[in-house]
Amino acid sequence: MSTTPPIAMVEQTIATSSIAEGRGRNRTTKIRGHRAGFWVYVGLGVVLLSAVFPYYWSFLIGSGDSTTINDPNMSWIPGGNFIANAASVVNDPAVNFWPALWNSIYSSTLIAAAVVITSTLAGWAFAKLRFRGSKALLIFVVATMAVPMQLGVVPLYILFADLGWTGQIGAIVIPALTSAFGVFWMTQYLQQSVPDELIEAARVDGASMMRTFWVIGVTAARPAAAMLFLFTFVGAWNNFFWPFIVLDRQNPTLPVALSLLQSNYFVDYSIVLAGVLLSTIPLLILFAFAGKQLVSGIMAGAVKG
């Protein structure tokens, strides 16, 4: 008679299936794989240039001076003023760059983590639990995605004004703690990636619902959760509309702070675009570290589907 603990058996089953899946995928790659053709590389090159060009153009203007953007004979070689323009953005007392940068990092991380937690829990419930009205409730959650945020701005602002939260970071964090898209995303992923037989085996072995979710659901949801965290973080980082309304100049997020660079009578676009590039550096760092996880999440979703 086996002495392996029940939960350990479930974990061993997951690990074994993952190894078998990886071997099968490698075997399929060896059998069916072939080198991409010339036009595939041409198409990928065009897509890459289209994605990189806006950053290069911004750097080109941001490394010049106030006359560069209107110069008909503008050189396509970057100038040498980018560091000076970036320093002007950082040292501008009206921008409050460092507090705004911290507010963006803090709020985006908190929002992304909360969305991943709530979406994974709700997705597990919709995908693997049976309760009355689950389909209707899921349809209602998805239907809320069709309601534009602008419709709720006025009552939401009145609510936070009554609570005395206007001008505080909590006013942009609390309304974004859940995401209808995140719930739908995790529901679809968990529904396809976790076999019902595995859950039944854990229940027969005496695992509680939360233990089953932690061992099976969280393990299976990691690739999708990583992608959801990344996309939610980027969306929260770039959000401008609601923070611009509810925050003030003393406590802004980075997009709101950078908008103050265009509030003068004369707008120096070399400084504005230098500030825009500074705001994208944290996102580029995040993608550099999370790129491998992002690709693995996409490939895992494709294999599971």
Side-chain angles (χ1 to χ4, degrees), residues 24-199:
R25 185 163 59 249
N26 293 334
R27 190 181 300 112
T28 304
T29 303
K30 292 180 180 179
I31 296 175
R32 301 181 181 179
H34 60 277
R35 297 187 61 182
F38 171 77
W39 293 108
V40 173
Y41 287 105
V42 171
L44 292 175
V46 171
V47 172
L48 178 61
L49 290 176
S50 301
V52 172
F53 178 76
Y55 293 96
Y56 180 78
W57 189 86
S58 299
F59 181 73
L60 188 67
I61 303 299
S63 61
D65 52 31
S66 59
T67 63
T68 302
I69 194 171
N70 296 318
D71 187 1
N73 299 319
M74 180 183 65
S75 174
W76 287 93
I77 299 177
N81 297 329
F82 180 79
I83 295 179
N85 293 334
S88 298
V89 174
V90 173
N91 297 325
D92 192 337
V95 174
N96 292 326
F97 181 83
W98 295 115
L101 177 63
W102 166 249
N103 287 339
S104 290
I105 294 175
Y106 172 75
S107 61
S108 299
T109 303
L110 193 59
I111 289 172
V115 166
V116 168
I117 294 173
T118 56
S119 298
T120 304
L121 287 169
W124 176 262
F126 283 124
K128 295 303 173 182
L129 302 184
R130 301 293 179 263
F131 57 94
R132 183 177 300 177
S134 60
K135 293 184 178 179
L137 185 57
L138 179 60
I139 293 174
F140 174 77
V141 171
V142 175
T144 60
M145 297 170 59
V147 180
M149 178 185 175
Q150 289 78 0
L151 292 180
V153 165
V154 174
L156 195 61
Y157 182 84
I158 294 174
L159 174 63
F160 283 113
D162 292 339
L163 294 174
W165 287 6
T166 55
Q168 300 183 18
I169 294 299
I172 65 173
V173 172
I174 292 179
L177 292 179
T178 60
S179 169
F181 170 77
V183 173
F184 176 75
W185 168 262
M186 296 305 298
T187 299
Q188 296 300 311
Y189 187 88
L190 290 172
Q191 197 167 24
Q192 297 178 5
S193 62
V194 179
D196 293 337
E197 294 79 8
L198 201 58
I199 300 176

